[in-house]
Coordinates of all heavy atoms in Angstrom, one line a residue:
M237 N 43.3 10.5 3.3 CA 42.3 9.6 3.9 C 41.8 8.7 2.7 O 41.6 9.1 1.7 CB 41.1 10.4 4.4 CG 40.1 9.5 5.1 SD 38.6 10.4 5.8 CE 39.2 11.9 6.3
R238 N 41.7 7.4 3.1 CA 41.3 6.4 2.0 C 39.8 6.6 1.8 O 39.0 7.0 2.6 CB 41.6 5.0 2.5 CG 43.1 4.8 2.7 CD 43.5 3.4 3.1 NE 42.4 2.4 3.2 CZ 42.4 1.5 4.1 NH1 43.4 1.4 5.0 NH2 41.4 0.6 4.2
D239 N 39.4 6.1 0.6 CA 38.0 6.3 0.2 C 37.1 5.5 1.1 O 36.0 5.9 1.4 CB 37.8 5.8 -1.3 CG 38.4 6.8 -2.3 OD1 38.6 8.0 -1.9 OD2 38.6 6.4 -3.4
D240 N 37.5 4.2 1.4 CA 36.6 3.4 2.3 C 36.4 4.1 3.7 O 35.4 4.0 4.3 CB 37.1 2.0 2.4 CG 38.4 1.9 3.0 OD1 39.3 2.8 2.9 OD2 38.7 0.8 3.6
T241 N 37.5 4.7 4.2 CA 37.4 5.4 5.5 C 36.4 6.6 5.4 O 35.6 6.8 6.2 CB 38.8 5.8 5.9 OG1 39.6 4.7 6.0 CG2 38.7 6.5 7.3
A242 N 36.5 7.3 4.3 CA 35.6 8.5 4.1 C 34.2 8.0 4.0 O 33.3 8.6 4.5 CB 36.1 9.2 2.8
R243 N 34.0 6.9 3.3 CA 32.6 6.3 3.2 C 32.1 5.9 4.5 O 30.9 6.1 4.8 CB 32.6 5.2 2.2 CG 32.4 5.6 0.7 CD 32.1 4.5 -0.2 NE 33.5 4.1 -0.7 CZ 34.0 2.9 -0.6 NH1 33.2 1.9 -0.1 NH2 35.2 2.6 -1.0
R244 N 32.9 5.3 5.3 CA 32.5 4.8 6.6 C 32.1 6.0 7.5 O 31.2 5.9 8.3 CB 33.5 4.0 7.3 CG 33.7 2.6 6.7 CD 34.7 1.8 7.3 NE 34.8 0.5 6.7 CZ 35.6 -0.5 7.1 NH1 36.4 -0.3 8.1 NH2 35.6 -1.6 6.4
I245 N 32.9 7.0 7.4 CA 32.6 8.2 8.2 C 31.3 8.9 7.8 O 30.5 9.2 8.6 CB 33.8 9.2 8.1 CG1 35.0 8.7 8.9 CG2 33.4 10.6 8.7 CD1 36.3 9.5 8.8
A246 N 31.1 8.9 6.5 CA 29.8 9.5 6.0 C 28.6 8.6 6.4 O 27.6 9.2 6.9 CB 29.9 9.6 4.5
R247 N 28.8 7.3 6.4 CA 27.7 6.4 6.9 C 27.5 6.6 8.4 O 26.3 6.6 8.9 CB 28.0 5.0 6.6 CG 27.6 4.6 5.2 CD 27.6 3.1 5.0 NE 28.6 2.4 5.7 CZ 29.6 1.7 5.1 NH1 29.6 1.5 3.8 NH2 30.5 1.1 5.8
G248 N 28.6 6.8 9.1 CA 28.5 7.0 10.6 C 27.7 8.3 10.9 O 26.9 8.3 11.8
E249 N 28.0 9.3 10.1 CA 27.3 10.6 10.3 C 25.9 10.5 10.0 O 25.0 11.0 10.8 CB 28.0 11.7 9.4 CG 29.4 12.1 9.9 CD 30.1 13.0 8.9 OE1 29.6 13.0 7.7 OE2 31.1 13.6 9.3
M250 N 25.5 9.8 9.0 CA 24.1 9.6 8.7 C 23.4 8.7 9.8 O 22.3 9.1 10.2 CB 23.9 8.9 7.3 CG 24.2 9.7 6.2 SD 23.8 9.1 4.5 CE 24.3 7.4 4.6
A251 N 24.1 7.7 10.3 CA 23.5 6.9 11.3 C 23.3 7.7 12.6 O 22.3 7.5 13.3 CB 24.4 5.7 11.6
E252 N 24.3 8.5 12.9 CA 24.2 9.4 14.1 C 23.0 10.3 14.0 O 22.2 10.3 15.0 CB 25.5 10.2 14.2 CG 25.4 11.3 15.3 CD 26.6 12.3 15.2 OE1 27.2 12.4 14.2 OE2 26.8 12.9 16.2
K253 N 22.8 11.0 12.9 CA 21.6 11.8 12.8 C 20.3 11.1 12.8 O 19.4 11.5 13.5 CB 21.7 12.6 11.5 CG 22.8 13.6 11.4 CD 22.9 14.3 10.0 CE 24.2 15.2 10.0 NZ 24.3 15.7 8.6
L254 N 20.3 9.9 12.2 CA 19.1 9.1 12.1 C 18.7 8.6 13.5 O 17.5 8.7 13.9 CB 19.3 7.9 11.2 CG 18.1 6.9 11.1 CD1 16.9 7.6 10.5 CD2 18.5 5.7 10.4
L255 N 19.7 8.1 14.3 CA 19.4 7.6 15.6 C 19.0 8.7 16.6 O 18.0 8.5 17.4 CB 20.6 6.8 16.2 CG 20.8 5.5 15.5 CD1 22.2 4.9 15.9 CD2 19.7 4.5 15.9
I256 N 19.6 9.9 16.5 CA 19.2 11.0 17.4 C 17.7 11.4 17.0 O 16.9 11.6 17.9 CB 20.2 12.1 17.3 CG1 21.5 11.7 17.9 CG2 19.6 13.4 17.9 CD1 22.6 12.7 17.8
R257 N 17.4 11.5 15.7 CA 16.1 11.8 15.3 C 15.1 10.8 15.8 O 14.0 11.1 16.2 CB 16.0 12.0 13.8 CG 16.6 13.3 13.4 CD 16.5 13.5 11.9 NE 17.2 14.7 11.4 CZ 17.7 14.8 10.3 NH1 17.6 13.9 9.4 NH2 18.4 15.9 10.0
L258 N 15.5 9.5 15.6 CA 14.6 8.4 16.1 C 14.3 8.5 17.5 O 13.2 8.3 18.0 CB 15.2 7.1 15.7 CG 14.5 5.8 16.1 CD1 13.1 5.8 15.4 CD2 15.3 4.6 15.9
G259 N 15.3 8.8 18.3 CA 15.1 9.0 19.8 C 14.0 10.1 20.0 O 13.1 9.9 20.9
W260 N 14.1 11.2 19.3 CA 13.1 12.3 19.5 C 11.7 11.8 19.0 O 10.7 12.2 19.6 CB 13.6 13.6 18.9 CG 14.6 14.2 19.7 CD1 15.9 14.4 19.3 CD2 14.5 14.8 21.0 NE1 16.6 15.1 20.3 CE2 15.8 15.3 21.3 CE3 13.5 14.9 21.9 CZ2 16.1 15.9 22.5 CZ3 13.8 15.6 23.1 CH2 15.0 16.0 23.4
V261 N 11.7 11.1 17.9 CA 10.4 10.6 17.4 C 9.7 9.7 18.4 O 8.5 9.7 18.6 CB 10.6 10.0 16.0 CG1 9.3 9.2 15.6 CG2 10.9 11.0 15.0
V262 N 10.5 8.8 19.0 CA 10.0 7.9 20.0 C 9.4 8.7 21.2 O 8.3 8.4 21.7 CB 11.1 6.9 20.5 CG1 10.6 6.1 21.7 CG2 11.4 5.9 19.4
V263 N 10.1 9.7 21.6 CA 9.6 10.5 22.7 C 8.3 11.2 22.3 O 7.3 11.2 23.1 CB 10.7 11.5 23.2 CG1 10.1 12.5 24.1 CG2 11.8 10.8 23.8
A264 N 8.3 11.8 21.1 CA 7.1 12.4 20.7 C 5.9 11.5 20.6 O 4.7 11.8 21.0 CB 7.3 13.1 19.3
A265 N 6.1 10.3 20.0 CA 5.0 9.3 19.9 C 4.6 8.9 21.3 O 3.4 8.6 21.5 CB 5.5 8.1 19.1
G266 N 5.5 8.7 22.2 CA 5.1 8.4 23.6 C 4.3 9.4 24.2 O 3.3 9.1 24.9
V267 N 4.6 10.7 24.0 CA 3.8 11.8 24.6 C 2.4 11.7 24.0 O 1.4 11.9 24.8 CB 4.5 13.1 24.4 CG1 3.6 14.3 24.7 CG2 5.8 13.2 25.2
V268 N 2.3 11.5 22.7 CA 1.0 11.4 22.1 C 0.2 10.3 22.7 O -1.0 10.4 23.0 CB 1.1 11.3 20.6 CG1 -0.2 11.0 19.9 CG2 1.7 12.6 20.0
A269 N 0.8 9.1 22.9 CA 0.1 7.9 23.4 C -0.3 8.2 24.9 O -1.4 7.8 25.3 CB 1.1 6.7 23.3
I270 N 0.5 8.8 25.6 CA 0.2 9.1 27.0 C -1.0 10.1 27.1 O -1.9 9.9 27.8 CB 1.4 9.7 27.8 CG1 2.4 8.6 28.0 CG2 1.0 10.3 29.1 CD1 3.8 9.1 28.5
A271 N -1.0 11.1 26.2 CA -2.1 12.1 26.1 C -3.4 11.4 25.7 O -4.5 11.6 26.3 CB -1.8 13.2 25.1
A272 N -3.3 10.4 24.8 CA -4.5 9.7 24.4 C -5.0 8.8 25.5 O -6.2 8.7 25.7 CB -4.1 8.8 23.2
Q273 N -4.1 8.3 26.3 CA -4.6 7.5 27.4 C -5.2 8.4 28.5 O -6.2 8.0 29.1 CB -3.4 6.7 28.0 CG -3.8 5.7 29.1 CD -4.7 4.7 28.6 OE1 -4.6 4.1 27.6 NE2 -5.7 4.4 29.4
V274 N -4.7 9.5 28.7 CA -5.3 10.5 29.7 C -6.7 10.9 29.2 O -7.6 10.9 30.0 CB -4.4 11.7 29.9 CG1 -5.1 12.8 30.6 CG2 -3.1 11.3 30.6
V275 N -6.8 11.1 27.9 CA -8.2 11.4 27.4 C -9.1 10.3 27.6 O -10.3 10.5 27.9 CB -8.0 11.9 25.9 CG1 -9.4 11.9 25.2 CG2 -7.3 13.2 25.8
A276 N -8.6 9.1 27.3 CA -9.5 7.9 27.5 C -9.9 7.7 29.0 O -11.1 7.4 29.2 CB -8.7 6.6 27.0
I277 N -9.0 8.0 29.9 CA -9.4 7.9 31.3 C -10.4 9.0 31.6 O -11.4 8.8 32.3 CB -8.2 8.1 32.2 CG1 -7.3 6.8 32.0 CG2 -8.6 8.2 33.7 CD1 -5.9 7.0 32.7
A278 N -10.2 10.2 31.1 CA -11.0 11.4 31.4 C -12.4 11.2 30.9 O -13.4 11.7 31.5 CB -10.4 12.7 30.9
T279 N -12.5 10.6 29.7 CA -13.9 10.4 29.1 C -14.6 9.2 29.6 O -15.7 9.0 29.3 CB -13.7 10.3 27.6 OG1 -12.9 9.2 27.2 CG2 -13.2 11.6 27.0
G280 N -13.9 8.4 30.4 CA -14.5 7.2 30.9 C -14.4 6.0 30.0 O -15.0 4.9 30.3
A281 N -13.7 6.1 28.9 CA -13.6 5.0 28.0 C -12.6 3.9 28.6 O -12.7 2.7 28.2 CB -13.0 5.5 26.7
D282 N -11.8 4.3 29.6 CA -10.9 3.3 30.2 C -11.0 3.5 31.7 O -11.2 4.6 32.2 CB -9.5 3.5 29.7 CG -8.6 2.3 29.9 OD1 -9.1 1.3 30.4 OD2 -7.4 2.4 29.5
D283 N -10.8 2.4 32.4 CA -10.8 2.4 33.9 C -9.6 3.2 34.4 O -8.5 3.0 33.8 CB -10.8 1.0 34.4 CG -10.9 0.9 35.9 OD1 -11.7 1.6 36.5 OD2 -10.1 0.1 36.5
A284 N -9.7 3.9 35.4 CA -8.6 4.7 35.9 C -7.4 3.9 36.4 O -6.3 4.2 36.0 CB -9.1 5.6 37.1
A285 N -7.7 2.8 37.0 CA -6.6 1.9 37.5 C -5.8 1.3 36.3 O -4.6 1.3 36.3 CB -7.1 0.8 38.4
E286 N -6.5 0.8 35.4 CA -5.9 0.3 34.2 C -5.1 1.3 33.4 O -4.1 1.1 32.8 CB -6.9 -0.4 33.3 CG -7.5 -1.7 33.8 CD -8.6 -2.2 33.0 OE1 -8.8 -1.7 31.8 OE2 -9.3 -3.2 33.4
G287 N -5.7 2.5 33.3 CA -5.1 3.6 32.6 C -3.8 4.1 33.2 O -2.8 4.4 32.5
I288 N -3.8 4.1 34.6 CA -2.5 4.5 35.3 C -1.4 3.4 35.0 O -0.3 3.8 34.7 CB -2.8 4.6 36.8 CG1 -3.8 5.7 37.1 CG2 -1.5 4.8 37.5 CD1 -3.3 7.1 36.6
V289 N -1.8 2.2 35.0 CA -0.8 1.1 34.7 C -0.3 1.3 33.3 O 0.9 1.2 33.0 CB -1.4 -0.3 34.9 CG1 -0.5 -1.4 34.4 CG2 -1.7 -0.5 36.4
T290 N -1.2 1.6 32.4 CA -0.8 1.7 30.9 C 0.1 2.9 30.8 O 1.1 2.9 30.1 CB -2.1 1.9 30.1 OG1 -2.9 0.8 30.2 CG2 -1.7 2.1 28.6
I291 N -0.2 4.0 31.5 CA 0.6 5.2 31.4 C 2.0 4.9 32.0 O 3.0 5.4 31.4 CB -0.1 6.4 32.1 CG1 -1.3 6.9 31.3 CG2 0.9 7.6 32.3 CD1 -2.1 7.9 32.0
G292 N 2.0 4.2 33.1 CA 3.3 3.8 33.6 C 4.2 3.0 32.7 O 5.4 3.3 32.5
G293 N 3.5 2.1 32.0 CA 4.3 1.3 31.0 C 4.7 2.1 29.8 O 5.8 1.9 29.3
L294 N 3.9 3.0 29.4 CA 4.3 3.9 28.3 C 5.5 4.8 28.7 O 6.4 4.9 27.9 CB 3.1 4.8 27.9 CG 2.0 4.1 27.1 CD1 0.8 5.0 27.0 CD2 2.5 3.8 25.7
V295 N 5.4 5.3 29.9 CA 6.5 6.2 30.3 C 7.8 5.4 30.4 O 8.9 5.9 29.8 CB 6.2 6.8 31.7 CG1 7.5 7.5 32.3 CG2 5.1 7.8 31.6
L296 N 7.8 4.2 30.9 CA 9.0 3.4 31.0 C 9.5 3.0 29.6 O 10.7 3.0 29.3 CB 8.8 2.2 31.9 CG 8.5 2.5 33.4 CD1 8.2 1.2 34.1 CD2 9.7 3.1 34.0
G297 N 8.6 2.6 28.8 CA 9.0 2.2 27.4 C 9.5 3.4 26.6 O 10.5 3.2 25.9
V298 N 8.9 4.5 26.7 CA 9.4 5.7 26.0 C 10.8 6.1 26.5 O 11.7 6.4 25.7 CB 8.4 6.9 26.2 CG1 9.1 8.2 25.7 CG2 7.2 6.6 25.4
I299 N 11.0 6.1 27.8 CA 12.3 6.4 28.4 C 13.4 5.4 27.9 O 14.4 5.8 27.4 CB 12.3 6.5 29.9 CG1 11.5 7.7 30.4 CG2 13.7 6.5 30.5 CD1 11.2 7.7 31.8
L300 N 13.0 4.2 27.9 CA 14.0 3.1 27.5 C 14.3 3.2 26.0 O 15.5 3.2 25.6 CB 13.5 1.7 27.9 CG 14.4 0.6 27.5 CD1 15.7 0.7 28.3 CD2 13.7 -0.7 27.9
A301 N 13.3 3.2 25.2 CA 13.5 3.2 23.8 C 14.1 4.5 23.3 O 15.0 4.5 22.5 CB 12.2 2.9 23.0
G302 N 13.6 5.6 23.7 CA 14.1 6.9 23.3 C 15.6 7.1 23.7 O 16.4 7.6 22.9
A303 N 15.9 6.8 25.0 CA 17.2 6.9 25.5 C 18.2 6.0 24.8 O 19.3 6.4 24.5 CB 17.3 6.7 27.0
A304 N 17.8 4.8 24.4 CA 18.6 3.9 23.7 C 19.0 4.4 22.3 O 20.1 4.4 21.9 CB 17.9 2.5 23.6
A305 N 18.0 4.8 21.6 CA 18.2 5.4 20.3 C 19.1 6.6 20.3 O 20.0 6.8 19.6 CB 16.9 5.7 19.6
F306 N 18.7 7.6 21.2 CA 19.4 8.8 21.3 C 20.9 8.6 21.8 O 21.8 9.1 21.2 CB 18.7 9.7 22.3 CG 19.3 11.1 22.3 CD1 18.8 12.1 21.4 CD2 20.2 11.5 23.2 CE1 19.3 13.4 21.4 CE2 20.7 12.8 23.3 CZ 20.3 13.7 22.3
G307 N 21.0 7.7 22.8 CA 22.4 7.4 23.3 C 23.2 6.7 22.2 O 24.4 6.9 22.2
S308 N 22.6 5.8 21.4 CA 23.4 5.2 20.4 C 23.9 6.2 19.3 O 25.0 6.1 18.9 CB 22.5 4.1 19.7 OG 22.2 3.1 20.6
G309 N 23.1 7.1 19.0 CA 23.5 8.2 18.1 C 24.6 9.0 18.6 O 25.6 9.3 17.9
V310 N 24.5 9.4 19.9 CA 25.5 10.2 20.5 C 26.8 9.4 20.6 O 27.9 9.9 20.3 CB 25.1 10.7 21.9 CG1 26.3 11.3 22.7 CG2 24.0 11.7 21.8
N311 N 26.8 8.1 20.9 CA 27.9 7.3 20.9 C 28.6 7.2 19.6 O 29.9 7.2 19.5 CB 27.5 5.9 21.4 CG 28.7 5.0 21.7 OD1 29.8 5.5 22.1 ND2 28.6 3.7 21.5
I312 N 27.9 7.1 18.5 CA 28.5 7.1 17.2 C 29.2 8.4 16.9 O 30.3 8.4 16.4 CB 27.4 6.8 16.1 CG1 26.9 5.3 16.2 CG2 27.9 7.1 14.7 CD1 25.7 5.0 15.3
G313 N 28.5 9.5 17.3 CA 29.2 10.8 17.1 C 30.5 10.9 17.8 O 31.5 11.5 17.3
I314 N 30.5 10.5 19.1 CA 31.7 10.5 19.9 C 32.8 9.7 19.2 O 34.0 10.1 19.1 CB 31.5 10.1 21.3 CG1 30.6 11.1 22.1 CG2 32.8 9.8 22.1 CD1 30.1 10.6 23.4
N315 N 32.5 8.5 18.8 CA 33.5 7.6 18.2 C 34.0 8.2 16.8 O 35.1 8.0 16.5 CB 33.0 6.2 18.1 CG 33.0 5.5 19.4 OD1 33.9 5.6 20.1 ND2 31.8 4.9 19.7
L316 N 33.1 8.8 16.1 CA 33.5 9.5 14.8 C 34.5 10.6 15.1 O 35.5 10.7 14.4 CB 32.3 10.0 14.1 CG 31.4 9.1 13.3 CD1 30.2 9.7 12.8 CD2 32.2 8.4 12.2
E317 N 34.3 11.3 16.2 CA 35.2 12.4 16.5 C 36.6 11.8 16.9 O 37.6 12.4 16.5 CB 34.6 13.2 17.6 CG 35.2 14.6 17.7 CD 35.1 15.4 16.4 OE1 34.1 15.4 15.7 OE2 36.1 16.0 16.1
R318 N 36.6 10.7 17.6 CA 37.8 10.1 18.0 C 38.5 9.6 16.7 O 39.8 9.7 16.6 CB 37.6 8.9 18.9 CG 37.2 9.3 20.3 CD 37.0 8.0 21.2 NE 36.5 8.4 22.5 CZ 35.9 7.6 23.3 NH1 35.7 6.4 23.0 NH2 35.5 8.0 24.5
L319 N 37.8 9.0 15.8 CA 38.4 8.5 14.6 C 39.0 9.7 13.8 O 40.1 9.6 13.2 CB 37.3 7.8 13.7 CG 37.8 7.3 12.3 CD1 38.9 6.3 12.5 CD2 36.6 6.7 11.6
R320 N 38.3 10.8 13.7 CA 38.8 11.9 12.9 C 40.1 12.5 13.6 O 41.0 12.8 12.9 CB 37.8 13.1 12.9 CG 36.6 12.8 12.0 CD 35.7 14.0 11.9 NE 34.5 13.7 11.2 CZ 33.3 13.6 11.8 NH1 33.2 13.9 13.0 NH2 32.3 13.3 11.0
T321 N 40.1 12.5 14.9 CA 41.3 13.0 15.6 C 42.5 12.0 15.3 O 43.6 12.5 15.1 CB 41.0 13.0 17.1 OG1 39.9 13.9 17.3 CG2 42.2 13.5 17.9
A322 N 42.2 10.7 15.4 CA 43.3 9.8 15.1 C 43.8 9.9 13.7 O 45.0 9.8 13.4 CB 42.8 8.3 15.4
L323 N 42.9 10.1 12.8 CA 43.3 10.2 11.4 C 44.1 11.5 11.1 O 45.1 11.5 10.4 CB 42.0 10.2 10.4 CG 41.3 8.9 10.3 CD1 40.0 9.0 9.5 CD2 42.2 7.8 9.6
D324 N 43.7 12.5 11.8 CA 44.5 13.8 11.7 C 45.9 13.6 12.2 O 46.8 14.1 11.6 CB 43.8 14.9 12.4 CG 42.5 15.4 11.7 OD1 42.4 15.1 10.5 OD2 41.7 16.1 12.3
E325 N 46.0 12.9 13.3 CA 47.3 12.7 13.9 C 48.2 11.8 13.0 O 49.4 12.0 12.9 CB 47.2 12.0 15.3 CG 46.6 13.0 16.4 CD 46.3 12.3 17.7 OE1 46.6 11.1 17.8 OE2 45.8 13.0 18.6
D326 N 47.5 10.8 12.4 CA 48.3 9.9 11.5 C 48.8 10.7 10.2 O 49.9 10.5 9.7 CB 47.4 8.8 11.0 CG 47.3 7.7 12.1 OD1 48.0 7.8 13.1 OD2 46.4 6.8 11.9
E327 N 47.9 11.6 9.8 CA 48.3 12.4 8.6 C 49.5 13.4 8.9 O 50.3 13.7 8.0 CB 47.1 13.2 8.0 CG 46.1 12.2 7.3 CD 44.9 13.0 6.8 OE1 44.8 14.2 6.9 OE2 44.0 12.3 6.3
R328 N 49.5 13.9 10.1 CA 50.6 14.8 10.5 C 51.9 14.1 10.7 O 53.0 14.7 10.5 CB 50.2 15.5 11.8 CG 49.1 16.5 11.7 CD 48.8 17.2 13.0 NE 47.5 17.8 12.9 CZ 46.7 18.0 13.9 NH1 47.1 17.6 15.1 NH2 45.6 18.6 13.8
A329 N 51.8 12.8 11.1 CA 53.0 12.0 11.4 C 53.7 11.6 10.1 O 53.4 11.7 9.0 CB 52.7 10.8 12.2

């Protein structure tokens, strides 16, 4: 395996891990924000109707951003595995 290919694979592995972790961090931050909004509604600091709209936006944003980051990381991992398989087949030939 060439050095530049090995470096690219290593960078891909780091990007995969980072994006998957980022996806989970986005979900965790979203859960904290939703909990804070629920507390604001419960204490009367925010109107219930406005709070529900805010929670809906947070849920949609968390799902979209978290899934995008997590899915990108998984996609990189799948493609790295395909690359490794192709490289193994080339080395055997």
